[in-house]
C-alpha cells in the first residue's frame, strides 16, 4: 500500500474513532476500498465551502456590505429569503438533468465554480459600486449564486450516498460544520475588532476570500473517485419533473418527513427575531452583530461533532431533540423580553439563547440531511432531494411571509408561532421510521 494511502487511512480511522471504521452498509465494494480518501476529500471540500458561506453570509457580511454601500433597507431584507429559497425552488427541474449523468461529481463542480464567480462579482460590486446600483447588482448575483447552490446540493447528496456508507455520513457533515464554526469564530473576532471601521474595501475583501474558498473546494472535490450510477429517468421535461411531486402523496414516510422538516424551520426563522429583540436590549448595531456571529460559530464548533454522531445512530431522534431545543430557545426569548426589560441583561441573555438556537439549528440540519440521504437509495435519492428542497423553497417563502407579518405587529408573537411549529415538528418526527438500521 502506498505511504499516502496509509496516511489517509490513519486520518480516517482517527476521525471515525471505532473498530467498525470500514463498515460499508449500502455502497459497493469498489467504493468501500476508496472510502478513506473519498471521506476526507468531501470533508475538505465541505469545510472550504462552509467557510465561503461564513465569509459571504447574507446575515452578516452581505447585509453589512449593502449597508456600507448605502443600498436601500428593503434590499437588505431580501438577502436571506433570496439566498435560501432561490437554491431550493428550481431543484425539481435541475434534478432530471443531474440524474442523466452517470457521475454527478461534475455537476457539483459546475455549481461550485458558478458560486465562486457570483461571489467574486459581489466583491467587485463592493469595490466599485454604491447605493441602489450596488444593492441591485449584489441581489442579482445572489440569485445566480442560489441557483448554482441548488445544483451542487442535489449532486453532493448523491455523491455522498454513493461514496460514504450509512453511519458515517452524519459525522462527515458534523466535522465539516465544526470546522466552519471554528473559522466563524475567527471572522467574528476580526469583525468585533475592526467592525466600526468595516468599509467596502474590507467587506469586498471578505467576499473575494469567499470566492477563493469555492475554487479551492472545487480542486479538493475533483479528486473524489465516483463510480458511474443509474441514469434512468434523466433529462425529462417539466411535466415529468412536476409529476415527481406525487412522491409527497404516494410515499407517506417521505411526505411526513417533508412536513416535519417544514415545521422544524423554527431553528432557522427564529434567529432574526432574537436579533431584533436583542437590539431593544442594548445589543444593536455594529457592537452586537459580531457577538451573534461569535455565538453561532461557537455553537457549530462545539455541537456539530456530537450531532453528527447522534445522527448516525438515529437521525430521527436527532431531529426530535434539536426541534425541542429550538422551541425552548424561542420560548426563552419571549420570557427574557418580558421579564428583563429596561436593562442590558436581557441583551446578554438573548445572545446566550442565540447560541442555544445555533446548537439546535445544527442538530436539525444534520439530522434532516442524514435522514434524507439514508431514507432514499440509488437513483431515488436525487428525486427525494429535489422534491424535498423544492417543496421547502415554497414553504420557506410562505412561512417567512406569515411569521414576518406577525413579527411586524409583535416579535414575541412570531416567536410563539415558531415555537409551536417546532414542537409539532418534533412530535411528527416520532412517527417517522428509523432508517439507520435499514440496509
Amino acid at each position: 500500500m502506498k505511504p499516502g494511502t496509509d496516511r489517509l487511512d490513519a486520518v480516517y480511522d482517527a476521525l471515525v474513532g471505532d473498530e467498525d471504521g470500514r463498515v460499508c452498509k449500502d455502497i459497493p465494494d469498489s467504493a468501500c476500498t476508496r472510502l478513506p480518501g473519498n471521506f476526507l476529500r468531501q470533508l475538505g471540500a465541505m469545510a472550504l465551502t462552509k467557510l465561503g458561506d461564513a465569509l459571504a453570509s447574507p446575515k452578516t457580511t452581505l447585509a453589512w456590505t449593502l449597508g456600507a454601500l448605502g443600498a436601500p433597507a428593503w434590499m437588505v431584507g431580501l438577502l436571506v429569503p433570496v439566498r435560501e429559497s432561490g437554491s431550493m425552488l428550481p431543484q425539481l427541474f435541475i434534478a432530471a438533468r443531474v440524474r442523466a449523468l452517470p457521475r454527478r461529481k461534475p455537476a457539483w463542480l459546475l455549481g461550485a465554480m458558478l458560486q465562486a464567480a457570483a461571489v467574486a462579482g459581489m466583491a467587485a460590486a463592493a469595490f466599485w459600486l454604491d447605493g441602489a446600483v450596488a444593492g441591485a447588482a449584489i441581489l442579482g448575483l445572489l440569485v445566480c449564486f442560489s441557483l448554482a447552490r441548488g445544483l451542487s446540493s442535489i449532486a453532493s447528496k448523491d455523491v455522498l450516498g454513493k461514496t460514504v456508507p450509512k453511519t458515517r455520513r452524519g459525522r462527515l457533515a458534523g466535522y465539516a460544520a465544526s470546522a466552519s464554526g471554528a473559522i466563524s469564530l475567527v471572522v467574528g473576532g476580526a469583525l468585533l475588532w475592526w467592525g466600526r471601521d468595516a468599509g467596502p474595501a474590507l467587506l469586498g475583501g471578505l467576499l473575494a476570500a469567499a470566492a477563493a474558498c469555492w475554487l479551492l473546494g472545487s480542486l479538493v472535490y475533483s479528486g473524489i473517485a465516483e463510480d458511474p450510477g443509474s441514469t434512468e429517468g434523466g433529462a425529462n421535461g417539466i411535466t415529468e419533473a412536476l409529476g415527481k411531486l406525487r412522491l409527497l402523496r404516494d410515499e407517506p414516510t417521505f411526505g411526513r418527513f417533508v412536513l416535519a422538516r417544514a415545521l422544524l424551520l423554527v431553528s432557522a426563522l427564529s434567529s432574526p427575531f432574537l436579533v431584533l429583540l436583542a437590539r431593544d436590549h442594548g445589543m444593536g448595531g455594529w457592537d452586537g452583530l459580531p457577538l451573534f456571529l461569535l455565538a453561532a460559530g461557537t455553537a457549530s464548533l462545539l455541537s456539530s461533532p456530537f450531532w453528527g454522531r447522534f445522527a448516525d445512530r438515529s437521525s430521527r431522534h436527532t431531529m426530535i431533540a434539536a426541534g425541542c431545543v429550538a422551541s425552548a430557545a424561542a420560548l426563552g426569548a419571549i420570557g427574557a423580553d418580558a421579564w428583563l426589560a429596561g436593562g442590558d441583561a436581557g441583551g446578554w441573555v438573548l445572545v446566550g439563547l442565540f447560541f442555544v438556537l445555533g446548537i439546535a439549528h445544527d442538530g436539525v440540519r444534520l439530522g434532516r440531511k442524514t435522514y434524507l440521504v439514508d431514507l432514499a437509495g440509488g437513483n431515488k435519492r436525487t428525486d427525494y432531494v429535489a422534491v424535498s428542497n423544492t417543496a421547502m423553497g415554497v414553504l420557506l417563502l410562505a412561512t417567512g411571509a406569515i411569521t414576518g407579518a406577525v413579527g411586524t405587529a409583535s416579535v414575541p408573537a412570531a416567536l410563539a408561532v415558531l415555537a409551536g411549529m417546532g414542537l409539532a415538528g418534533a412530535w411528527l418526527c416520532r412517527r417517522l421510521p428509523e432508517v439507520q438500521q435499514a440496509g
Side-chain angles (χ1 to χ4, degrees), residues 34-81:
R34 298 191 294 264
L35 176 56
N38 283 337
F39 183 97
L40 293 173
R41 289 184 181 94
Q42 286 180 84
L43 174 59
M46 289 173 67
L48 284 165
T49 55
K50 286 179 180 295
L51 171 56
D53 283 334
L55 294 176
S57 170
K59 297 178 182 179
T60 54
T61 306
L62 292 183
W64 293 352
T65 299
L66 263 61
L69 296 175
W74 64 266
M75 289 187 174
V76 178
L78 286 177
L79 288 170
V80 173

Side-chain angles (χ1 to χ4, degrees), residues 19-352:
E19 69 280 359
D20 196 25
R22 291 301 174 81
V23 63
C24 293
K25 289 189 174 182
D26 62 341
I27 61 174
D29 291 340
S30 59
C32 190
T33 59
R34 298 191 294 264
L35 176 56
N38 283 337
F39 183 97
L40 293 173
R41 289 184 181 94
Q42 286 180 84
L43 174 59
M46 289 173 67
L48 284 165
T49 55
K50 286 179 180 295
L51 171 56
D53 283 334
L55 294 176
S57 170
K59 297 178 182 179
T60 54
T61 306
L62 292 183
W64 293 352
T65 299
L66 263 61
L69 296 175
W74 64 266
M75 289 187 174
V76 178
L78 286 177
L79 288 170
V80 173
V82 166
R83 164 56 151 52
E84 298 300 329
S85 62
S87 65
M88 293 180 178
L89 285 171
Q91 289 194 16
L92 187 62
F93 309 102
I94 299 173
R97 295 291 181 183
V98 175
R99 196 164 54 244
L101 301 173
R103 290 183 174 87
R104 280 70 190 258
K105 181 177 72 174
W108 188 96
L109 293 172
L110 175 60
M113 296 294 288
L114 291 173
Q115 288 174 79
V119 177
M122 295 178 198
F127 280 120
W128 293 308
L129 300 176
D130 58 25
V133 174
I138 290 175
L139 278 174
L141 289 165
L142 187 60
V143 172
C144 297
F145 173 90
S146 297
L147 293 174
R149 187 179 183 85
L151 175 62
S152 291
S153 175
I154 291 176
S156 67
K157 291 179 176 64
D158 202 52
V159 173
L160 177 65
K162 291 166 65 179
T163 58
V164 176
K166 288 183 180 181
T167 74
R168 298 297 175 265
R169 296 164 185 161
R171 70 191 68 185
L172 170 60
Y175 283 131
S178 184
S180 172
I183 298 298
S184 294
L185 292 179
V186 176
V187 176
L191 290 174
L192 191 61
W193 183 263
W194 289 301
R196 291 185 179 276
D197 301 317
L202 175 59
L203 296 170
L206 288 175
L207 293 172
C213 287
W214 271 286
L215 292 176
L216 290 173
S218 299
L219 181 62
V220 174
Y221 202 87
S222 65
I224 294 173
E226 178 195 5
D227 292 329
S230 172
T231 60
E232 286 86 358
N236 289 316
I238 294 177
T239 302
E240 179 67 19
L242 290 173
K244 297 294 183 182
L245 291 172
R246 289 194 298 268
L247 289 171
L248 295 169
R249 179 198 64 196
D250 296 341
E251 302 195 16
T253 297
F254 176 61
R256 282 197 297 271
F257 164 77
V258 172
L259 179 57
R261 179 183 172 185
L263 292 169
L264 293 176
L265 282 171
V266 55
S267 68
L269 296 180
S270 294
S271 298
F273 292 115
L274 263 68
V275 174
L276 287 176
L277 287 181
R279 290 176 64 88
D280 296 333
H281 289 267
M283 286 291 173
W286 288 90
D287 292 327
L289 284 172
L291 292 175
F292 282 100
L293 183 59
L294 288 168
T298 304
S300 291
L301 176 64
L302 297 179
S303 69
S304 293
F306 164 77
W307 287 124
R309 290 180 178 273
F310 193 1
D312 281 335
R313 291 196 299 271
S314 174
S315 52
R316 180 176 73 96
H317 282 101
T318 300
M319 291 187 289
I320 293 172
C324 290
V325 172
S327 294
L331 293 173
I334 297 173
D337 181 61
W339 298 324
L340 298 175
D344 293 340
W348 287 104
V349 171
L350 287 163
V351 171

